[in-house]
Amino acid sequence: VGLAHLLWQPTDALDVMYSYDRTEHDEAPIPMFVTFVNTAVRNPAPNLIAPFLADQGDRPSSGSFDNDYIGETTVEGHALHVDFEICEGLAFSSISGYREMENAGSGDNDGSPYPLLWTEDYQENDVLTQEFRLIGEAFDARLDYVLGAFYLDENGDVDQSTYLDEAVARSLPALRNVPYRSQTVTDFQTETWALYTQATYALTDRWDVTAGIRYTEEERDMSKTDFLSISGRLARTTLFPDANKEFDNVSPMGSVS
């Protein structure tokens, strides 16, 4: 984990703050334990796994696995905060942010020492945000107000694969036509923008009234594709219809305190 700040003050009215952070996790996720298999089917795989089933009533303290459990995550972020005093009682702020996340994981899914089934997944995500604020006061500082605009652009993808060991599958007739790799690739994007304002007026030394409103629009898109492979060759591709949804919202607020 690392965090750093750099502050630049070229004038009394201008502050520029740059921030950087980075986090890395390298861990072994909780392993998967199989508690039940159907040995009545003609597929011989359940009979191979059956001797290594975990007790459903207890938390296992040991197990048999043929693949390592890996979980690696890296997150990196940048932020730029600019504050500028336009005049007495009026200031402008700009808040910019960019963040990236990468994750890789793998694990044994059959709960046995045989290389029957394991998974791998990779995820990437990046988010860009920008916010502008105009902050001021009026009427002899009895009124405090803020006007703002916000924007977000997020993109990511997830690549998940489930593997069946080819050598094991070829040795078991019931598994010879089962895909040796099932892969799902998903891409997604979110775009959001918003405008908002809020003001607080001091009615007396003890009573304030506050009112505000925010308008938000958001669009989300997602695409998904499945790939099935046998012996290293693509056997089938399934393209799902792209998903798209747009949202909008008006959020008013008010209070007396």
Side-chain angles (χ1 to χ4, degrees), residues 198-215:
Q198 182 172 309
T200 298
Y201 185 77
L203 298 174
T204 68
D205 292 339
R206 298 183 57 185
W207 290 97
D208 294 337
V209 59
T210 300
I213 190 168
R214 179 186 179 102
Y215 175 74

Side-chain angles (χ1 to χ4, degrees), residues 13 29 57 64 76 91 171 187 212 224 228:
S64 299
E76 192 173 58
S171 67
D187 295 295
K224 178 180 176 182
L228 298 179

Side-chain angles (χ1 to χ4, degrees), residues 13-217:
L14 179 62
D15 290 349
V16 180
M17 171 77 78
Y18 168 75
S19 301
Y20 170 81
D21 67 272
R22 181 181 177 89
T23 303
E24 294 185 6
H25 289 287
D26 188 355
E27 56 189 355
I30 298 175
M32 179 177 293
F33 294 91
V34 179
T35 60
F36 173 80
V37 292
N38 185 2
T39 56
V41 299
R42 298 180 62 182
N43 191 321
N47 291 295
L48 294 174
I49 299 173
F52 306 97
L53 295 180
D55 190 339
Q56 296 186 38
D58 297 323
R59 182 182 178 90
S61 58
S62 61
S64 299
F65 310 102
D66 61 277
N67 275 294
D68 293 333
Y69 280 85
I70 299 173
E72 299 176 349
T73 302
T74 301
V75 181
E76 192 173 58
H78 305 266
L80 184 66
H81 195 151
V82 180
D83 291 318
F84 178 62
E85 185 178 3
I86 300 172
C87 61
E88 184 177 357
L90 185 62
F92 171 80
S93 291
S94 171
I95 305 171
S96 308
Y98 179 74
R99 184 165 295 273
E100 292 180 322
M101 187 279 294
E102 295 182 359
N103 173 266
S106 65
D108 184 357
N109 275 27
D110 55 68
S112 77
Y114 301 109
L116 294 175
L117 200 66
W118 71 95
T119 59
E120 293 180 353
D121 67 88
Y122 301 93
Q123 302 179 47
E124 292 183 344
N125 176 269
D126 62 81
V127 182
L128 172 69
T129 60
Q130 176 64 54
E131 185 170 2
F132 297 116
R133 297 175 184 169
L134 191 65
I135 305 168
E137 59 182 35
F139 304 113
D140 296 325
R142 296 180 69 88
L143 176 68
D144 295 318
Y145 63 89
V146 58
L147 302 170
F150 175 80
Y151 175 77
L152 176 145
D153 185 15
E154 179 182 20
N155 296 273
D157 60 81
V158 180
D159 187 339
Q160 297 175 311
S161 294
T162 300
Y163 296 87
L164 174 66
D165 185 80
E166 185 172 346
V168 173
R170 286 183 175 277
S171 67
L172 303 175
L175 300 181
R176 287 177 182 171
N177 293 322
V178 175
Y180 302 150
R181 181 184 183 186
S182 173
Q183 180 185 19
T184 299
V185 178
T186 305
D187 295 295
F188 61 89
Q189 180 180 16
T190 300
E191 188 173 27
T192 303
W193 68 269
L195 299 174
Y196 62 89
T197 183
Q198 182 172 309
T200 298
Y201 185 77
L203 298 174
T204 68
D205 292 339
R206 298 183 57 185
W207 290 97
D208 294 337
V209 59
T210 300
I213 190 168
R214 179 186 179 102
Y215 175 74
T216 304
E217 285 192 5

